[in-house]
Amino acid sequence: MPEPTARQSHIDRALTNVSIAYKNAAFVWPEVFPRVQVQKQSDLYFNFTKGYWFRLDTGPRAPGARAPRGGYALTTSQYLCLERAIAHQVHDEVIENSDDPLTPLVRSTQYVSTQIQSAIENDVLDLVFGNSVWSSSATPSVLWSNDASDPWGDIETGMNTVATAIGREPNTAVIGRGLWRYLKNHPDVIDRIKGGATVGGPAKATAELIAGVAGLERLLVASSVEDTSNEPASSTMAYLGGLHMALLYVPTGAALDTPSAGYTFMWKNVEISRFREEQERSDVIEARCSWDAKVTAADAGYLIKAAA
């Protein structure tokens, strides 16, 4: 007796509660180079010359005499927020025929927004981990992939270098995900944080614990990845952060009379717009933003480079 098969009894449809998509989970740039909201696309900011504030010009004053005179100098630097943009076209046929859970206009908005955030992240990390950016940098004599290395000593060298240069301890470290895997598993690191482990459980080297031991307010792991291939080649994925760690002094936001390793000057906020291309019978979702990621105090940073 003929019977319908299972495949004949069911017509496949897309699930409405599962889909597979890829994007970076988090971006660190706002904490690495804090955002400075500016009113004009380009302008100047003041730099007070460091030496005048650290030299001791105070001296004895004889009765009736004038106090020793001192002074300070300043210069200006410029930022220029260049606009970057990305757009995605969505055809009417796609909008009208898409099944759940596809929402083409929503997905397009997410896509262009992520593109902008990724571009800012790329700009900031290119500077933070770049060559000849900071006043001081070094490659460890023994790389952190070797258990005989001394990551605490390398970090302390960087901390001391910045503190000596600007009179403030670095408060922020950013480490590439490629180097983080060696630091968090290094025996010296595990040994130092054992006291913070759960009783009876293994010691777990979190960014918060390592930051606390090192005397930092925060340790940020740059985990963003980038596909460096060109279509239609297969994906070639790489970490933006590489095998580096930067020790920085940065305030939590725009600040007066404070050395900051860097800022992200931003003219306006990220703007998302939707417009019609009638001839193509399509809607276009566009994101645009104008920013300038800039090192503002090269002596407020120290790079531990190519450490593994």
Side-chain angles (χ1 to χ4, degrees):
M1 179 182 296
E3 289 288 341
T5 65
R7 291 295 300 165
Q8 292 170 333
S9 301
H10 171 72
I11 298 174
D12 287 349
R13 292 178 295 174
L15 294 176
T16 61
N17 61 343
V18 173
S19 65
I20 308 301
Y22 300 89
K23 60 181 177 180
N24 284 307
F27 298 104
V28 300
W29 71 262
E31 295 180 89
V32 179
F33 279 11
R35 180 203 312 259
V36 178
Q37 207 69 46
V38 295
Q39 300 300 313
K40 302 294 183 181
Q41 190 171 13
S42 66
D43 243 325
L44 303 174
Y45 58 92
F46 290 113
N47 294 304
F48 289 88
T49 306
K50 179 174 67 174
Y52 294 99
W53 297 85
F54 287 105
R55 294 190 187 99
L56 294 178
D57 294 324
T58 303
R61 181 178 68 85
R66 291 184 175 183
R69 295 296 191 260
Y72 58 86
L74 59 81
T75 59
T76 57
S77 296
Q78 185 183 43
Y79 71 83
L80 173 60
C81 297
L82 296 177
E83 181 174 283
R84 266 67 67 90
I86 179 71
H88 184 244
Q89 185 182 56
V90 188
H91 305 298
D92 288 353
E93 292 86 350
V94 173
I95 296 173
E96 294 168 3
N97 290 285
S98 291
D99 293 324
D100 288 338
L102 297 180
T103 48
L105 294 175
V106 173
R107 294 293 183 266
S108 293
T109 301
Q110 293 172 340
Y111 167 74
V112 297
S113 298
T114 299
Q115 282 283 316
I116 292 291
Q117 293 296 322
S118 296
I120 302 174
E121 183 92 341
N122 202 3
D123 276 6
V124 170
L125 293 183
D126 274 353
L127 287 172
V128 169
F129 295 133
N131 291 320
S132 304
V133 172
W134 306 109
S135 298
S136 299
S137 64
T139 296
S141 56
V142 181
L143 300 182
W144 293 2
S145 50
N146 186 333
D147 287 352
S149 61
D150 181 18
W152 291 122
D154 296 327
I155 291 171
E156 181 54 36
T157 296
M159 298 277 288
N160 184 66
T161 300
V162 173
T164 302
I166 68 171
R168 298 171 187 250
E169 296 283 339
N171 60 0
T172 300
V174 56
I175 185 170
R177 177 62 179 79
L179 182 59
W180 169 243
R181 66 184 178 130
Y182 295 109
L183 179 63
K184 70 177 180 177
N185 291 308
H186 195 283
D188 287 358
V189 172
I190 298 299
D191 185 63
R192 188 77 69 90
I193 66 171
K194 278 181 180 177
T198 304
V199 176
K204 182 179 180 182
T206 65
E208 292 76 17
L209 278 175
I210 294 176
V213 173
L216 295 158
E217 293 178 12
R218 65 190 72 87
L219 170 59
L220 307 169
V221 181
S223 298
S224 296
V225 293
E226 178 185 19
D227 185 352
T228 59
S229 66
N230 296 316
E231 284 191 294
S234 299
S235 292
T236 302
M237 307 299 290
Y239 291 118
L240 292 180
L243 298 170
H244 317 293
M245 181 180 189
L247 298 161
L248 314 169
Y249 180 82
V250 292
T252 55
L256 290 170
D257 303 335
T258 302
S260 179
Y263 282 120
T264 304
F265 298 94
M266 189 165 290
W267 182 47
K268 304 179 180 179
N269 289 313
V270 179
E271 297 180 355
I272 309 291
S273 59
R274 173 181 171 183
F275 57 89
R276 184 73 180 164
E277 289 183 341
E278 195 60 53
Q279 188 172 359
E280 291 83 0
R281 299 197 178 282
S282 300
D283 284 352
V284 176
I285 307 296
E286 180 187 82
R288 59 187 178 275
C289 186
S290 301
W291 73 86
D292 185 8
K294 194 173 180 68
V295 172
T296 51
D299 49 5
Y302 180 95
L303 180 64
I304 301 172
K305 60 182 180 180

